[in-house]
Amino acid sequence: DAGITQSPRYKITETGRQVTLMCHQTWSHSYMFWYRQDLGHGLRLIYYSAAADITDKGEVPDGYVVSRSKTENFPLTLESATRSQTSVYFCASSELRGSGGYTFGSGTRLTVV
Amino acid sequence: GENVEQHPSTLSVQEGDSAVIKCTYSDSASNYFPWYKQELGKGPQLIIDIRSNVGEKKDQRIAVTLNKTAKHFSLHITETQPEDSAVYFCAATINNDMRFGAGTRLTVKP
């Protein structure tokens, strides 16, 4: 989608390394979200943010760190990557939380070896 | 998405036939139910949604029905076309969080 971009599209990293996934939106949406997508589990919420400097845990936050110093950016950091964090990660944004449609980025496929 | 169950996990239909995907949810307070379509290599895209004060909503070949008493909702696609082939996700709000079903891979055979 033109309004929300994720980078990189693909990333291979080694166990124990720190890796940061980037997300940028151009709509000035209040809310931003990070989901991971795994076969058989659908999309599970990792962290979300209601505004700059306001973040909160989702369903599966362990091993992840987020920040939101600017409204348009919401990076996700894996401080010490593990093989169980191999997944496809999606960033999303929305004006509302839980009561309106979310706009998703194209995803980052992360492989931890 | 453990609070939202989706069936079937895979669905194959002939072009022109109808496709139905069903979801159930656990929280009776859920009030918003979107459906997303995910094409290969892309992020999920909202295709239709329904709120709890409505029983049915239609948009061209796509319709969604909601049964609040039974806590289930369904996506109906009529006159399917090959470009409808994708993974479809249902979702429901639970404590203001969007919880997703595990997805249905729909294949429309020409």
Side-chain angles (χ1 to χ4, degrees):
Chain A
D1 287 356
I4 184 163
T5 55
Q6 292 184 236
S7 62
R9 284 281 282 158
Y10 303 93
K11 176 73 176 178
I12 300 174
T13 191
E14 294 178 340
T15 302
R17 296 253 186 180
Q18 182 180 83
V19 60
T20 297
L21 311 184
M22 305 301 293
C23 179
H24 175 81
Q25 56 119 345
T26 58
W27 288 304
S28 299
H29 282 161
S30 298
Y31 284 91
M32 295 187 76
F33 309 86
W34 274 106
Y35 285 88
R36 60 178 289 173
Q37 184 176 38
D38 304 290
L39 197 62
H41 290 281
L43 293 146
R44 291 181 291 176
L45 182 65
I46 304 170
Y47 268 96
Y48 70 95
S49 168
D53 297 322
I54 301 175
T55 63
D56 208 346
K57 295 178 181 179
E59 190 182 357
V60 289
D62 293 344
Y64 303 96
V65 174
V66 294
S67 62
R68 196 168 177 202
S69 57
K70 293 184 178 181
T71 304
E72 60 267 30
N73 296 323
F74 190 39
L76 175 74
T77 297
L78 289 67
E79 292 190 303
S80 178
T82 65
R83 289 203 176 105
S84 64
Q85 293 178 308
T86 293
S87 185
V88 181
Y89 291 86
F90 287 100
C91 177
S93 72
S94 176
E95 199 46 46
L96 302 170
R97 176 186 166 213
S99 61
Y102 291 179
T103 302
F104 285 84
S106 296
T108 294
R109 182 175 293 276
L110 176 68
T111 303
V112 183
V113 297
Chain B
E2 291 184 8
N3 301 118
V4 179
E5 292 191 5
Q6 182 171 347
H7 299 281
S9 56
T10 60
L11 178 60
S12 181
V13 299
Q14 208 65 38
E15 182 177 0
D17 288 350
S18 295
V20 181
I21 302 170
K22 299 181 180 181
C23 289
T24 59
Y25 59 98
S26 58
D27 187 357
S28 57
S30 296
N31 59 8
Y32 177 67
F33 308 91
W35 285 88
Y36 289 83
K37 175 183 181 182
Q38 185 179 22
E39 297 177 331
L40 196 62
K42 297 184 179 180
Q45 183 174 13
L46 179 71
I47 55 171
I48 194 167
D49 55 12
I50 192 168
R51 298 186 188 274
S52 57
N53 58 347
V54 176
E56 184 175 358
K57 185 176 178 181
K58 195 172 181 180
D59 182 4
Q60 299 183 338
R61 296 186 297 107
I62 293 173
V64 57
T65 58
L66 172 64
N67 184 326
K68 284 212 74 179
T69 303
K71 289 189 280 189
H72 65 71
F73 56 112
S74 300
L75 177 71
H76 304 253
I77 306 174
T78 59
E79 300 173 23
T80 53
Q81 301 167 3
E83 52 264 39
D84 294 329
S85 295
V87 178
Y88 291 82
F89 291 97
C90 64
T93 52
I94 298 174
N95 295 327
N96 281 330
D97 280 335
M98 193 83 72
R99 293 291 181 97
F100 289 81
T104 297
R105 181 174 297 280
L106 173 65
T107 302
V108 180
K109 293 181 282 187

